[in-house]
Amino acid sequence: MSTEPIKSIKDLPLDENLFPGTPACAGCGGLLTLRHCLKMLGDKVVIVNAAGCFTLLSIYPFTPFKSSWLYTAMACAPAGAQGVRDALDILIEKGKLNPGDDLKVLVLTGDGAAYDMGLSSTSGAIYRNLDFYYICYDNEAYGNTGFQQSGATPFASRTKTTPIGKDFPKKDLFEIWNSHKPPYLATISPAYPVDLANKFKKAEQYKGPKLFISLTPCPPGWSTDPSHTFKLAKLAVDTGIWALKESVSGEVKHTFVPGKFKPVEEYLKEQGRFSHLFKPERKEETLGKIQEMVNEYWKQYGVLL
């Protein structure tokens, strides 16, 4: 892969490594993210898929992947990735696999495994400096079991287990990973594919753990129209509620900052999971608190004064 940055969506690879016709929900933001990610990773990948929505993608004898796919329980995908990586390295050492044909190892997981059940095994894999990619499609709840609260569920979001709205913020997975000082980690969005693509190009030069977290609209869980997925993903960035950033060996840098932030209300009012903030009456205090949380984040980086 060339190290030259991609400047336009016209320069994205044309190869498709994720085929259409999957059983994923219409308008799944995670699927759109995965399509872009696999374009950049190519087809020489072993995907270790933690249980979640994307468990449904590959059902014998059908698969949408060009590459290999291994299914694990929610908590142990990084351990599975370690086994795959070790096996590949042994094959290379024995001369049974050409080093030039070496395969990338990718953990694919939703937020339930990434923020909660799989966090301890992930921490261990980072600590061991396992050479792998880790993609989290973060739809901010346990999506494939009916949209229950996860560690990624944001403040005030309604889920099946928080019917009046969650009363505390989501975990900061980026900072949890960053405290381990891995070579590379980033947040991405399906609405900003050029930013996404350049982060994969940059990550390729580093050996060790590489994380990509994508905020991914979930039409059934967020109670939104499937055709609005791209709009919502873009609004999340343009309101500042989802910051696009990267960290190289612990040093954080934002890769895109909106010229003028839109009010966070524009993002919230589009979603059924936040409709209780607007009807039957507006909850001004809660709306103000969410806006203030976003403002405080950007103030710490000197973007807002």
Side-chain angles (χ1 to χ4, degrees):
M1 187 186 297
S2 164
T3 56
E4 286 295 313
I6 288 176
K7 295 180 180 177
S8 163
I9 197 168
K10 296 178 182 176
D11 300 325
L12 293 175
L14 296 177
D15 294 336
E16 296 289 353
N17 295 311
L18 179 69
F19 298 115
T22 75
C25 302
C28 174
L31 200 62
L32 181 55
T33 292
L34 182 59
R35 179 189 168 211
H36 290 310
C37 293
L38 292 181
K39 273 177 173 283
M40 300 310 298
L41 289 172
D43 59 359
K44 293 183 178 179
V45 180
V46 179
I47 298 172
V48 183
N49 194 162
C53 292
F54 284 178
T55 301
L56 302 173
L57 295 185
S58 199
I59 301 175
Y60 183 82
F62 304 106
T63 178
F65 298 114
K66 266 189 180 177
S67 49
S68 301
W69 181 84
L70 172 68
Y71 170 67
T72 74
M74 294 185 81
C76 60
Q82 179 76 63
V84 172
R85 185 67 266 164
D86 289 347
L88 293 171
D89 289 342
I90 290 170
L91 290 173
I92 291 172
E93 187 177 331
K94 290 185 173 181
K96 295 183 178 181
L97 181 65
N98 186 330
D101 293 335
D102 191 14
L103 304 178
K104 301 181 180 78
V105 179
L106 163 65
V107 165
L108 178 62
T109 175
D111 53 275
Y115 284 72
D116 297 331
M117 292 188 207
L119 197 51
S120 63
S121 65
T122 303
S123 177
I126 305 170
Y127 183 69
R128 297 191 302 275
N129 200 36
L130 174 63
D131 186 22
F132 74 136
Y133 291 80
Y134 189 109
I135 297 174
C136 170
Y137 52 98
D138 179 2
N139 62 12
E140 303 189 315
Y142 287 88
N144 72 326
T145 53
F147 210 71
Q148 296 87 7
Q149 170 191 314
S150 79
T153 301
F155 172 68
S157 172
R158 187 161 55 195
T159 69
K160 289 290 175 60
T161 47
T162 57
I164 59 173
K166 189 181 174 190
D167 58 1
F168 55 94
K170 69 187 292 180
K171 293 181 188 175
D172 191 339
L173 185 64
F174 184 92
E175 283 303 322
I176 291 172
W177 265 72
N178 204 33
S179 67
H180 292 71
K181 301 290 188 293
Y184 189 82
L185 63 152
T187 56
I188 54 179
S189 167
Y192 286 82
V194 173
D195 177 83
L196 180 156
N198 282 324
K199 285 171 174 169
F200 274 90
K201 287 173 71 72
K202 191 168 186 176
E204 192 177 52
Q205 65 185 294
Y206 300 106
K207 189 170 183 179
K210 297 169 275 283
L211 167 72
F212 300 84
I213 319 171
S214 176
L215 182 66
T216 56
C218 168
W222 292 18
S223 299
T224 54
D225 190 298
S227 66
H228 293 176
T229 290
F230 182 89
K231 174 185 175 183
L232 283 166
K234 191 170 188 309
L235 268 175
V237 175
D238 294 348
T239 57
I241 207 164
W242 186 249
L244 291 178
K245 56 188 174 182
E246 65 182 6
S247 172
V248 178
S249 300
E251 187 174 346
V252 179
K253 172 188 169 187
H254 287 90
T255 57
F256 175 79
V257 178
K260 183 178 180 181
F261 288 90
K262 293 182 177 179
V264 73
E265 184 177 329
E266 290 192 26
Y267 170 74
L268 301 175
K269 69 183 181 183
E270 298 284 338
Q271 305 173 50
R273 62 177 176 154
F274 294 112
S275 61
H276 58 289
L277 302 181
F278 300 95
K279 295 178 181 177
E281 71 275 346
R282 285 175 58 87
K283 295 186 177 177
E284 297 292 355
E285 184 178 347
T286 305
L287 289 168
K289 185 173 179 178
I290 297 172
Q291 184 66 66
E292 187 56 31
M293 290 165 69
V294 174
N295 292 349
E296 285 299 319
Y297 170 84
W298 289 101
K299 282 178 183 175
Q300 69 178 306
Y301 292 101
V303 176
L304 293 178
L305 302 176

